[in-house]
Amino acid sequence: MTDTITISISAGFIDAAMCAVSKEETRYYLKGVFIDARGFIAATNGHMAFAARCNDAYKLAGVSPTYPSDALPGVIVPDTAITQAIKAAGRSKGLTMEFSRDTLGQWWVTYGDARVNFEPVDGPFPDWQRVIPCAPKTLKPGHYNPLYIGKLGDMAKALRDGKKDAASLFKLHQNGENPALVTFASEDGLSHRTDCCGVLMPMRETGESAFDRDAFTAA
């Protein structure tokens, strides 16, 4: 008989994390939301990331993938299972998602009236904490993929129950050529949330020459 586990997570956190899930089949271990037994959830596609606190995740302290042995303890929930649950239940404001393991060792995601069975991704999720910067160390500007900037807006909306006018309620902390910290506005808009954050990797320099403004504006 297997011990049961039930973990409740804000649907807003899950929606925000889904914005950072990888779409690459070869990186199967990034194609889901990681419930980190250290007390967080996280998702990353290698270019950007989202993480949030989740006290229930401590319940996974003894749960790890079957390989490798040094993998972080926790469970990677496939993005397909989450998408299926959302599609079946419809998006409902203020709800939480529940991720559970029953006595038979079966895993389930429950959202509203929907209950979907899933197999955790059996792979090593990277230690996402290593890429979260403490604070900007330089004012040298970084360059970012506009697609991922838009995804940060989607994260901000997800954290406000999908409100369209919330798309700008995040701050990208420039960090030069290093990963940039992303913070999301608190409810009063006067500070930032301390229970979640994002990371955005700058684009690589391609070696192209500087833009010649004078040549461009010349008649």
Side-chain angles (χ1 to χ4, degrees):
M1 181 175 179
T2 302
D3 292 337
T4 60
I5 297 175
T6 300
I7 298 169
S8 296
I9 302 175
S10 160
F13 280 171
I14 295 297
D15 284 347
M18 288 287 282
C19 295
V21 168
S22 177
K23 304 300 182 185
E24 297 181 36
E25 294 298 332
T26 56
R27 308 182 78 179
Y28 66 95
Y29 51 90
L30 299 182
K31 288 179 60 60
V33 176
F34 181 49
I35 306 179
D36 189 330
R38 294 175 296 182
F40 301 89
I41 69 165
T44 181
N45 59 13
H47 302 282
M48 63 187 305
F50 176 83
R53 290 188 175 277
C54 174
N55 289 334
D56 270 7
Y58 289 117
K59 298 175 182 178
L60 296 173
V63 179
S64 298
T66 58
Y67 68 92
S69 59
D70 59 348
L72 293 175
V75 170
I76 305 174
V77 183
D79 60 334
T80 51
I82 294 172
T83 299
Q84 186 179 349
I86 292 174
K87 184 176 181 180
R91 295 185 180 275
S92 300
K93 296 181 180 180
L95 286 184
T96 60
M97 284 191 183
E98 285 192 350
F99 302 87
S100 59
R101 184 182 69 184
D102 62 25
T103 56
L104 298 178
Q106 294 290 307
W107 287 91
W108 304 86
V109 53
T110 303
Y111 183 51
D113 296 327
R115 190 166 185 257
V116 176
N117 178 244
F118 70 89
E119 284 290 333
V121 177
D122 195 17
F125 199 84
D127 192 353
W128 55 272
Q129 292 186 358
R130 293 181 179 180
V131 302
I132 295 183
C134 293
K137 298 179 180 179
T138 176
L139 294 179
K140 181 180 178 180
H143 301 281
Y144 304 94
N145 188 319
L147 174 63
Y148 297 136
I149 294 290
K151 288 291 186 181
L152 294 177
D154 290 341
M155 288 182 185
K157 288 191 296 183
L159 295 173
R160 296 292 183 105
D161 285 330
K163 295 179 180 177
K164 294 182 179 180
D165 58 358
S168 62
L169 298 181
F170 69 89
K171 184 176 181 180
L172 180 65
H173 301 263
Q174 289 276 354
N175 199 14
E177 298 176 345
N178 300 308
L181 177 69
V182 181
T183 54
F184 300 93
S186 59
E187 285 297 327
D188 59 14
L190 301 178
S191 60
H192 61 261
R193 296 181 63 147
T194 59
D195 58 354
C196 62
C197 68
V199 177
L200 184 61
M201 303 295 290
M203 295 172 63
R204 293 182 179 179
E205 293 290 344
T206 58
E208 72 272 11
S209 58
F211 182 72
D212 190 336
R213 176 184 177 278
D214 292 337
F216 176 70
T217 57

